[in-house]
Amino acid sequence: MAPDSFTHILRVLNTNVNGKEKILYALTAIRGMGRRFSTICCKKAEIDLRKRAGELSAEELEAVMNIVANPRSYKIPDWFLNRQKDVKDGKYSQLVSSQLDTKLREDLERLKKIRNHRGLRHYWGFTSLYCDATMHNRPRKFRISDPCELPGVIGYGFATAILAELVGYLLIYRTASFKRLKKDFEKYEPPSKADGEGESGGSSGKKKDAAKKKTFEAEAGRKMAVIQIVTGILTFATMIVSINIVPKMFGKAPAGVLPFEPPSFIRKITQRGLEDAAPNEFSPFFIFMLCQGSVKVLVTKMFGWGPTRKMSMFKPDMEKVFKTA
């Protein structure tokens, strides 16, 4: 065969198949297809078992996939299939690739709903059968799927967080107005009950102090609102950019498994960028978000960047701020 027509990597059923291997063994890379099932599929499609996977034509490959999708129509016996007498529709089929995960998840959810013993043990995180009923049999813990990808995700999270903090430092924290505001907040004391009484009736000194505090609060409120808006825009921009970059860099596969099933509203964060994932699996983007938050806190404490505790505790009346602005 001409080298131009040889395919080194075939993309079949969301799986990379090595074209250099014989078709009999190459198809076993697809989940749900063993050597026996790939043998019978090749024989039904009248493909030479000594052929390499990369030598197959598009018609031969399509014939094999048709047999995998409809094995009973090609007289493959029911006992040969891995999904026999389905609970919902009673059909016989061969599950491959992501179909296996979907059906397994549906079966486990059904067992949990009917409070089956095996389903309850899955829910609690124990082994489904009493395989190792000793002190070693403890609930599942936080697990990382691919430890090699973890340093890359953490490194990317740290780099983007530090970059965002540097931009915030250059635009806000190193300016003279912010440093002046920081010094004013060190001298500032929140108004007390005595100040309220001084406004209604009291000495002229107390009235002046109360008026000064009011004007300072209005000005500080405007400045703090601007600072919060700018830092919010920076954080939002890094998140928007990373939503598209992280799945491209680290793939759409789950990064790990949580020891519990989070609620549906939290799952929107933990499973951002995943497709057909189990409820307790989390994405690389979730690790990135954790890194972002931790780096922000570390940088603020180590270098003294950003608002102080007194500044962050100060909550301006936003209606008054925007009216005066």
Side-chain angles (χ1 to χ4, degrees), residues 6-10 17-22 26 52-55:
F6 188 86
T7 311
H8 292 273
I9 299 292
L10 289 84
V17 176
N18 189 1
K20 296 176 184 177
E21 291 184 352
K22 290 184 179 179
R52 305 286 171 182
E55 295 174 352

Side-chain angles (χ1 to χ4, degrees), residues 180-228:
R180 201 181 308 117
L181 183 66
K182 211 170 183 179
K183 285 180 182 178
D184 291 341
F185 261 104
E186 288 174 5
K187 299 173 187 176
Y188 169 73
E189 291 180 6
S192 59
K193 289 182 180 179
D195 295 333
E197 291 171 3
E199 283 181 26
S200 56
S203 62
S204 59
K206 284 184 178 180
K207 285 182 181 179
K208 284 181 181 178
D209 290 340
K212 279 182 183 179
K213 281 183 180 180
K214 271 195 170 183
T215 53
F216 172 75
E217 284 175 3
E219 289 177 7
R222 280 199 301 272
K223 290 176 182 177
M224 286 300 297
V226 171
I227 290 166
Q228 287 170 7

